[in-house]
Amino acid sequence: MTQTAQPNKRHIVLVDHALQRSLLVALVVLEVLVVASAIAVLYQALANIADENLYRIHFSGELSVLSLLLREGLHVLAGMLAVNLLALIVADRVWAFYVNRILRNLDRLMSASEQLDFRSQAPSAFDHAVLAQAVAWRVNAAAQLAQARLALHELPAQLPEPAQRDALAATLARPRQG
């Protein structure tokens, strides 16, 4: 079974490659920087712990070396978690801003369409496939309205006689066939 091409058919698109690629690259770069910083901080902390405990002969009653190492490791992990959480919040806000810009422009187009205002809208500085489809739908709807106006102008001013009704029905059916 072959499907016919439908230019205004809706598609659910859950990815936006342009923005998601940028966010992914930014998050990977951030993660590399966070891990490199964590390794440097952990190296410095472990070097200090090792230097302090290297020449100790007697028990001093302080925390054990293992607990010192564990504490420093937990501090570094907490820092990494905080940076990653902040990065996710920023990425979420960027994504929400992006989606809201699309929806704001789409809402403007649909509000104008609801008022049957199919004049060309001011171009948006923001471009997206959804907005391009909405503009294409508006162009198609404007053409259909123009056909309907032409068909209305062809209608007689008075009701036709029974013999002329078939010709009038054909005139009225023409815009629906397009």
Side-chain angles (χ1 to χ4, degrees):
M1 181 173 8
T2 328
Q3 295 206 356
T4 60
Q6 297 175 349
N8 292 322
K9 186 175 179 179
R10 293 180 185 168
H11 299 282
I12 296 176
V13 179
L14 301 176
V15 293
D16 190 319
H17 297 289
L19 179 65
Q20 287 179 334
R21 184 181 324 115
S22 301
L23 286 175
L24 181 63
V25 168
L27 289 175
V28 167
V29 168
L30 176 73
E31 197 63 35
V32 166
L33 292 175
V34 166
V35 168
S37 300
I39 289 172
V41 168
L42 197 56
Y43 176 78
Q44 188 64 38
L46 296 180
N48 289 340
I49 291 171
D51 286 344
E52 289 173 3
N53 292 294
L54 187 62
Y55 299 109
R56 184 168 48 162
I57 297 172
H58 301 290
F59 178 69
S60 62
E62 292 182 17
L63 294 173
S64 71
V65 176
L66 182 61
S67 64
L68 289 173
L69 295 175
L70 186 60
R71 186 180 69 198
E72 290 301 323
L74 289 176
H75 283 137
V76 169
L77 284 176
M80 288 177 67
L81 179 66
V83 169
N84 281 317
L85 186 61
L86 181 64
L88 286 175
I89 290 170
V90 168
D92 177 63
R93 293 294 82 211
V94 167
W95 183 259
F97 175 74
Y98 183 76
V99 169
N100 285 335
R101 280 182 60 181
I102 294 169
L103 293 177
R104 219 178 3 250
N105 286 317
L106 184 62
D107 186 49
R108 180 179 51 84
L109 288 171
M110 292 300 108
S111 294
S113 300
E114 183 180 35
Q115 301 298 320
L116 297 178
D117 179 11
F118 289 100
R119 292 177 292 174
S120 180
Q121 298 285 322
S124 170
F126 188 71
D127 190 30
H128 191 268
V130 169
L131 298 175
Q133 286 178 348
V135 168
W137 174 82
R138 285 174 48 85
V139 167
N140 189 21
Q144 288 176 350
L145 283 176
Q147 283 180 342
R149 278 192 202 104
L150 287 175
L152 287 175
H153 288 297
E154 293 177 9
L155 292 177
Q158 296 179 352
L159 288 175
E161 297 297 322
Q164 299 171 336
R165 286 188 184 161
D166 290 336
L168 182 59
T171 301
L172 289 174
R174 227 179 316 148
R176 283 184 256 155
Q177 294 170 356

